[in-house]
């Protein structure tokens, strides 16, 4: 009987908070100087947060957590899209922890809650708020990391382009140091774009590569071998005197690869092979 009576009181508290939802949401407008567009984007999930907080008092705990997880993903997506910091969501969560906590306290006094009943309700409410922080932070960091990785992949793709010079001749102008990661991008771009463009020759220009060591040479051998397997001939250009000296000292041999010191001569050679 006591549990039934307590549940009824909890439902009443939920109803009170939901009744004040719009008022609570509007209160927050005055605490930040968001521009109008940002404010419009924040209002829907702020209203959802208040609703989740209100219903968490009287519905199943696990169901609340499931709803919070979905809400956290939505919030993270909004923040990332608007390029807003995570701090904004955490501040909103904290703000409404206090505001709704006061409503719960006032209603509990009116209903003459026992100390144990009040402690139980507040403890559960605080757990829900903590879960809100958890899911927003986790979702935000995942979305942020995914976006950074996507941007990095796009940068990598642009940093190693396949430039089509003629219908069947392409050039990859490499710039900067070649590490294992960039070597993999080189391999993928050379094979994918070379095949897509139906190239017969691909010139890999090393004029702007500062260092050619055994690792870089090994990666180049692999790219050349892979391209030959799909019928694309490879020419290396931009082999400067200091680079050639370093390669000789390291014992790197390019005897099976056609090389030139300039892109012009490499292109002239590729053209001659087409005739």
């Amino acid at each position: 009987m006591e549990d039934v009576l307590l549940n009824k009181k909890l439902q009443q508290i939920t109803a009170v908070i939901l009744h004040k939802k719009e008022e609570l949401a509007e209160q927050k407008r005055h605490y930040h100087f968001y521009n109008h567009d940002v404010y419009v984007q924040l209002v829907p999930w702020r209203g959802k947060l208040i609703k989740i907080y209100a219903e968490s008092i009287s519905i199943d705990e696990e169901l609340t957590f499931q709803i919070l997880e979905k809400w956290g993903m939505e919030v993270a997506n909004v923040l990332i899209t608007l390029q807003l910091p995570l701090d904004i969501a955490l501040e909103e969560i904290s703000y409404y922890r206090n505001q709704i906590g006061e409503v719960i306290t006032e209603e509990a006094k009116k209903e003459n809650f026992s100390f144990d009943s009040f402690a139980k309700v507040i403890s559960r409410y605080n757990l829900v708020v903590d879960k809100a922080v958890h899911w927003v932070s986790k979702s935000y960091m995942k979305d942020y990391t995914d976006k950074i990785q996507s941007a990095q992949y796009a940068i990598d793709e642009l940093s190693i382009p396949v430039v089509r010079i003629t219908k069947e001749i392409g050039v990859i102008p490499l710039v900067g140091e070649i590490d294992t990661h960039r070597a993999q991008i080189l391999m993928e771009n050379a094979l994918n774009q070379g095949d897509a463009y139906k190239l017969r020759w691909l010139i890999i220009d090393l004029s702007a590569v500062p260092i050619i060591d055994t690792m870089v040479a090994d990666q180049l051998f692999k790219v050349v071998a892979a391209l030959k397997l799909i019928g694309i001939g490879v020419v290396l250009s931009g082999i400067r005197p200091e680079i050639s000296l370093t390669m000789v000292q390291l014992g790197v041999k390019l005897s099976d690869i056609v090389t030139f010191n300039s892109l012009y001569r490499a292109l002239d050679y590729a053209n001659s092979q087409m005739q």
Side-chain angles (χ1 to χ4, degrees), residues 56 60 89 97-98 117 127 151 171 185 234 256:
S56 71
D60 178 70
R97 178 201 291 267
N98 297 331
S117 295
L127 178 60
V171 175
I185 298 296
V234 181
D256 295 331

PDB file of all heavy atoms in Angstrom, residues 56 60 89 97-98 117 127 151 171 185 234 256:
ATOM      1  N   SER A  56      11.896  10.335 -15.280  1.00  0.00           N
ATOM      2  CA  SER A  56      12.806   9.407 -14.590  1.00  0.00           C
ATOM      3  C   SER A  56      12.389   9.176 -13.142  1.00  0.00           C
ATOM      4  O   SER A  56      12.750   8.163 -12.540  1.00  0.00           O
ATOM      5  CB  SER A  56      14.233   9.953 -14.622  1.00  0.00           C
ATOM      6  OG  SER A  56      14.368  11.089 -13.776  1.00  0.00           O
ATOM      7  N   ASP A  60      10.404   3.239 -15.166  1.00  0.00           N
ATOM      8  CA  ASP A  60      11.448   2.238 -14.965  1.00  0.00           C
ATOM      9  C   ASP A  60      12.836   2.830 -15.232  1.00  0.00           C
ATOM     10  O   ASP A  60      13.046   3.554 -16.212  1.00  0.00           O
ATOM     11  CB  ASP A  60      11.209   1.062 -15.913  1.00  0.00           C
ATOM     12  CG  ASP A  60      12.280  -0.003 -15.791  1.00  0.00           C
ATOM     13  OD1 ASP A  60      12.310  -0.679 -14.753  1.00  0.00           O
ATOM     14  OD2 ASP A  60      13.093  -0.133 -16.732  1.00  0.00           O
ATOM     15  N   ALA A  89      26.616  21.505 -23.421  1.00  0.00           N
ATOM     16  CA  ALA A  89      25.683  20.448 -23.016  1.00  0.00           C
ATOM     17  C   ALA A  89      25.848  20.122 -21.540  1.00  0.00           C
ATOM     18  O   ALA A  89      24.853  19.936 -20.820  1.00  0.00           O
ATOM     19  CB  ALA A  89      25.913  19.194 -23.862  1.00  0.00           C
ATOM     20  N   ARG A  97      19.786  20.011 -13.453  1.00  0.00           N
ATOM     21  CA  ARG A  97      19.910  19.181 -12.247  1.00  0.00           C
ATOM     22  C   ARG A  97      19.450  20.008 -11.039  1.00  0.00           C
ATOM     23  O   ARG A  97      18.661  19.539 -10.217  1.00  0.00           O
ATOM     24  CB  ARG A  97      21.356  18.740 -12.029  1.00  0.00           C
ATOM     25  CG  ARG A  97      21.538  17.903 -10.738  1.00  0.00           C
ATOM     26  CD  ARG A  97      22.992  17.907 -10.259  1.00  0.00           C
ATOM     27  NE  ARG A  97      23.886  17.188 -11.126  1.00  0.00           N
ATOM     28  CZ  ARG A  97      24.222  15.911 -10.981  1.00  0.00           C
ATOM     29  NH1 ARG A  97      23.711  15.196  -9.983  1.00  0.00           N
ATOM     30  NH2 ARG A  97      25.077  15.342 -11.808  1.00  0.00           N
ATOM     31  N   ASN A  98      19.932  21.234 -10.976  1.00  0.00           N
ATOM     32  CA  ASN A  98      19.602  22.101  -9.836  1.00  0.00           C
ATOM     33  C   ASN A  98      18.153  22.575  -9.876  1.00  0.00           C
ATOM     34  O   ASN A  98      17.444  22.539  -8.858  1.00  0.00           O
ATOM     35  CB  ASN A  98      20.541  23.306  -9.808  1.00  0.00           C
ATOM     36  CG  ASN A  98      21.988  22.902  -9.600  1.00  0.00           C
ATOM     37  OD1 ASN A  98      22.259  21.886  -8.969  1.00  0.00           O
ATOM     38  ND2 ASN A  98      22.915  23.681 -10.135  1.00  0.00           N
ATOM     39  N   SER A 117      12.301   8.056   1.897  1.00  0.00           N
ATOM     40  CA  SER A 117      11.663   8.161   0.576  1.00  0.00           C
ATOM     41  C   SER A 117      12.284   9.281  -0.241  1.00  0.00           C
ATOM     42  O   SER A 117      12.573   9.128  -1.436  1.00  0.00           O
ATOM     43  CB  SER A 117      10.157   8.401   0.732  1.00  0.00           C
ATOM     44  OG  SER A 117       9.531   7.295   1.339  1.00  0.00           O
ATOM     45  N   LEU A 127      21.439   9.872 -10.191  1.00  0.00           N
ATOM     46  CA  LEU A 127      22.006   8.825 -11.032  1.00  0.00           C
ATOM     47  C   LEU A 127      21.636   9.067 -12.491  1.00  0.00           C
ATOM     48  O   LEU A 127      22.467   8.897 -13.388  1.00  0.00           O
ATOM     49  CB  LEU A 127      21.499   7.455 -10.571  1.00  0.00           C
ATOM     50  CG  LEU A 127      21.984   6.255 -11.416  1.00  0.00           C
ATOM     51  CD1 LEU A 127      23.502   6.157 -11.392  1.00  0.00           C
ATOM     52  CD2 LEU A 127      21.359   4.957 -10.897  1.00  0.00           C
ATOM     53  N   ALA A 151      38.083  13.951 -41.698  1.00  0.00           N
ATOM     54  CA  ALA A 151      38.790  15.115 -42.251  1.00  0.00           C
ATOM     55  C   ALA A 151      40.232  14.765 -42.586  1.00  0.00           C
ATOM     56  O   ALA A 151      40.766  15.177 -43.620  1.00  0.00           O
ATOM     57  CB  ALA A 151      38.744  16.268 -41.253  1.00  0.00           C
ATOM     58  N   VAL A 171      50.127  11.670 -63.272  1.00  0.00           N
ATOM     59  CA  VAL A 171      51.261  12.042 -62.429  1.00  0.00           C
ATOM     60  C   VAL A 171      50.802  12.113 -60.972  1.00  0.00           C
ATOM     61  O   VAL A 171      49.717  12.617 -60.686  1.00  0.00           O
ATOM     62  CB  VAL A 171      51.843  13.422 -62.832  1.00  0.00           C
ATOM     63  CG1 VAL A 171      52.955  13.829 -61.851  1.00  0.00           C
ATOM     64  CG2 VAL A 171      52.382  13.381 -64.240  1.00  0.00           C
ATOM     65  N   ILE A 185      48.357   5.310 -48.424  1.00  0.00           N
ATOM     66  CA  ILE A 185      47.474   6.179 -49.221  1.00  0.00           C
ATOM     67  C   ILE A 185      47.971   6.246 -50.659  1.00  0.00           C
ATOM     68  O   ILE A 185      47.183   6.220 -51.611  1.00  0.00           O
ATOM     69  CB  ILE A 185      47.408   7.602 -48.614  1.00  0.00           C
ATOM     70  CG1 ILE A 185      46.821   7.568 -47.201  1.00  0.00           C
ATOM     71  CG2 ILE A 185      46.564   8.519 -49.502  1.00  0.00           C
ATOM     72  CD1 ILE A 185      45.396   7.105 -47.123  1.00  0.00           C
ATOM     73  N   VAL A 234      55.401   2.434 -64.699  1.00  0.00           N
ATOM     74  CA  VAL A 234      55.723   3.476 -63.724  1.00  0.00           C
ATOM     75  C   VAL A 234      57.067   4.113 -64.040  1.00  0.00           C
ATOM     76  O   VAL A 234      58.041   3.422 -64.384  1.00  0.00           O
ATOM     77  CB  VAL A 234      55.765   2.904 -62.284  1.00  0.00           C
ATOM     78  CG1 VAL A 234      56.086   4.017 -61.289  1.00  0.00           C
ATOM     79  CG2 VAL A 234      54.438   2.257 -61.934  1.00  0.00           C
ATOM     80  N   ASP A 256      65.484  -1.755 -61.763  1.00  0.00           N
ATOM     81  CA  ASP A 256      64.310  -2.242 -62.507  1.00  0.00           C
ATOM     82  C   ASP A 256      63.254  -1.162 -62.722  1.00  0.00           C
ATOM     83  O   ASP A 256      62.193  -1.430 -63.269  1.00  0.00           O
ATOM     84  CB  ASP A 256      63.661  -3.413 -61.747  1.00  0.00           C
ATOM     85  CG  ASP A 256      64.585  -4.624 -61.672  1.00  0.00           C
ATOM     86  OD1 ASP A 256      65.410  -4.785 -62.591  1.00  0.00           O
ATOM     87  OD2 ASP A 256      64.480  -5.386 -60.699  1.00  0.00           O
TER      88      ASP A 256
END
